[in-house]
Amino acid sequence: MTEHPKVLVIGLDAAEKDLVLAWAQYGWLPTFRRLLDCGAWAVTQGPLGMPGGAGWQSLFTAVSPAKHGHHADRQIRVGTYEMRRARATALKREAFWNALSRAQRRVAVIDVPYVGLSEKINGVHVVDWITHAPDSGFSTWPPELGRQLRKQFGVDRLGLCDHMEMRSAEQFAAFRDALIARVATKVAASHHLLRQGPWDLFMTVFGESHCIGHQCWHLHDPTHPSHDPTIAGAVGDPMLAVYRALDDAVGRLVGSVGPETTVLVFCSHGMGPNYYGAHLLGDVLARLGHRPPPPAQPRWLWRVVRRGWRRLPQPLRARLTPMQKNAVDFVWPELDSHATCFDVPNAEVYGAIRVNLVGREPQGKVTPGAQYDVLCEELRHDLCALVNPDTGQPAVRRVLRTADIYQGPYLGDLPDLLVEWNGDAPLEAVDSPKTGMIRRALLGPRTGHHRPHGLLLAAGPGIKPGQITAPASVMDIGPTIAANLGVALPDTDGHAIAACVACRR
C-alpha cells in the first residue's frame, strides 16, 4: 500500500450536465457512460445567484462568495464608485490544494480557472495556460515549468472565444477543430506531467466546453432564434463534437492511472441558451426612478472596435488578451453617486443591484434599517411585475436578498439584490405598468450562457455506484478531494460527500 492514497481530478468547465447525461445514455460519450455505471454521481449546485467565476472560486476555496469576496469579473471597489476587474490574486481565501501541500501531499494543479498562482507549492501549479478566460496571464510554479510547456506544447493561439469572427460554416468548423486540438494538447501535457509523479493529487481542467457552449449553442439548439439550419447542416453539432473529444480525453487520463486511484470528474456549472435580461436592468431602474438613464449603446463603435481587434493576427490577440482586459478598467464608467441603487455586473445570468447605502458608499443615499428594507421590498415587487411582452410570461422569477443567503466578512463586497431572470425564452424587452415598454437588443456574440447546476462523478476503491440524491454544492468538491487524501480542510462551508470518498483498508 502506498504512503498516501492517490486522487485524479478532471474538471470540465461549464459542461452542461443534461447533455452529458443524455449523450452518455445514447452511447455517444462512452467514458461518461462507464463512470455513471460504475461510480457514484451527484448533481451539484453553484453559489445561488452567482454562477460562473464565483462558482469556480467557491469550488476551490470551499466557502461562499461572502467569505472569498468575489461575485463577478468586474466589481465595485469598496469605498468608491469605481468598477474594476476582480482579480483572482485578490481572492480573500486560499485554494484547498495549498492546505494539501502543507499536509505533505504532492499536488499537480493545471488550469483551474480564476485562481492566482500558488508559489512554493509542494508540486506544480499551472495558471491560465489553455483556459476559457485567462485572468492574469500564463504563469507556473516552478517558473521553469512555463518555459518547458511553451517549448514542448506551445501556447494557446486561440485567445478569448468572444473575439472570434464566426459567421460562416467554415469559420465555425475551424473554431470547433481548434478547440478539439486544444483538448489534445491538454491531454498530452497532462500525460507528460503525470509521468513526473508520483502525485497524491493530480488535477487538470479543460475549458473547451465553456467556449463551445457560449459560441455555438445556437447551432446545437434548433429552437434558438439564431439557429441557421444551413450552417448546422454543414458543420453538424459543434458541441457534440467537442464533448466527444472531452469524453475521449477523460477516458485517456483515467486509463493512465491504476485501479487504486480514486477518480473524480466534475462539470463545474452548466450551459443553456442566453435568454437573460441583465442588459435591460439599467433601463428598468431608470424608469423606476432609481438612477439616471444608461447611455445609448454605440453599436457602431462596438462593431469598429471588434473589427479592429479581429484584424490582428490571432496569436497576437491571444498574447494581448490580459492587456486588453486590463485596459477595460480605464474606460469602464463610474457608478452615479446620485442614484439610490445601481445595476452591477454579475455574469448576466442573475441581474445584480447594489444599493447606494449610507455608511458604505461615499455619498450614500439610503440609510440602513427601515429605509433600506422598504427600498429592497419595493424593488422586489416592481421587478417581479415585469413581463416579457413577446411571450406574456413573467420576466423575473424571483428577487433574492443576498444577506438572506450568505453571511461572511465580505458580504459588503457583494450586490444587495440578485434578480433571477426567467430564461425560458429570449428576453429582449420588458413591460410593466410602472416602467412601460423597454426594448434593448442583447449585444455580443454569446448565444449560450450559464446554468447553475453541475455534475460530480466519483469512482474508486469501495465507492458504490449510483446516484446520490442528497443535495451537493460545488463547495463540497474541495473537502471531498481532501477527504480522499486523508486531510480535513479547516473552516469551510462545504463538506465531504461521504459517498464519493474511497473506502481503504
Side-chain angles (χ1 to χ4, degrees), residues 102-305:
R102 288 193 296 271
Q104 305 304 309
R105 303 308 191 261
R106 189 163 185 255
V107 303
V109 181
I110 305 164
D111 273 350
V112 174
Y114 310 112
V115 66
L117 183 67
S118 295
E119 296 184 355
K120 305 189 186 313
I121 194 170
N122 180 24
V124 301
H125 191 197
V126 178
V127 172
D128 282 348
W129 177 41
I130 301 177
T131 58
H132 159 68
D135 178 77
S136 53
F138 179 34
S139 59
T140 65
W141 180 264
E144 59 268 21
L145 175 60
R147 294 188 291 272
Q148 295 170 9
L149 290 175
R150 282 193 184 98
K151 181 178 180 180
Q152 188 164 350
F153 302 101
V155 295
D156 180 17
R157 300 175 65 84
L158 194 60
L160 291 176
C161 61
D162 286 337
H163 294 166
M164 302 294 293
E165 178 75 45
M166 287 183 287
R167 297 180 182 177
S168 67
E170 293 76 15
Q171 288 170 327
F172 281 108
F175 178 62
R176 173 203 63 201
D177 294 345
L179 291 177
I180 292 172
R182 283 202 336 189
V183 172
T185 299
K186 181 68 68 66
V187 171
S190 297
H191 275 301
H192 170 73
L193 292 173
L194 264 171
R195 289 192 293 270
Q196 297 180 17
W199 304 101
D200 298 306
L201 168 65
F202 190 93
M203 182 175 184
T204 187
V205 176
F206 294 84
E208 289 69 32
S209 42
H210 198 150
C211 296
I212 200 71
H214 275 323
Q215 308 302 328
C216 293
W217 185 270
H218 65 295
L219 296 180
H220 156 76
D221 180 1
T223 68
H224 194 282
S226 297
H227 182 75
D228 187 322
T230 301
I231 292 178
V235 178
D237 186 345
M239 292 191 64
L240 176 58
V242 170
Y243 277 46
R244 294 184 77 164
L246 291 167
D247 181 81
D248 181 70
V250 173
R252 289 177 181 274
L253 291 172
V254 172
S256 67
V257 298
E260 76 285 355
T261 301
T262 300
V263 174
L264 298 174
V265 180
F266 66 87
C267 306
S268 60
H269 51 294
M271 188 69 68
N274 190 5
Y275 296 161
Y276 300 114
H279 61 295
L280 298 164
L281 188 53
D283 291 294
V284 170
L285 294 180
R287 293 282 184 94
L288 293 173
H290 297 298
R291 57 154 290 175
Q297 296 175 330
R299 302 187 68 149
W300 64 270
L301 181 59
W302 174 273
R303 295 191 190 99
V304 168
V305 171

Side-chain angles (χ1 to χ4, degrees), residues 2 45 83 88 176 183 224 262 281-282 316 439 472 484 498:
T2 56
Q45 167 77 49
M83 299 298 295
R176 173 203 63 201
V183 172
H224 194 282
T262 300
L281 188 53
L316 181 59
R439 187 172 292 274
N484 273 290

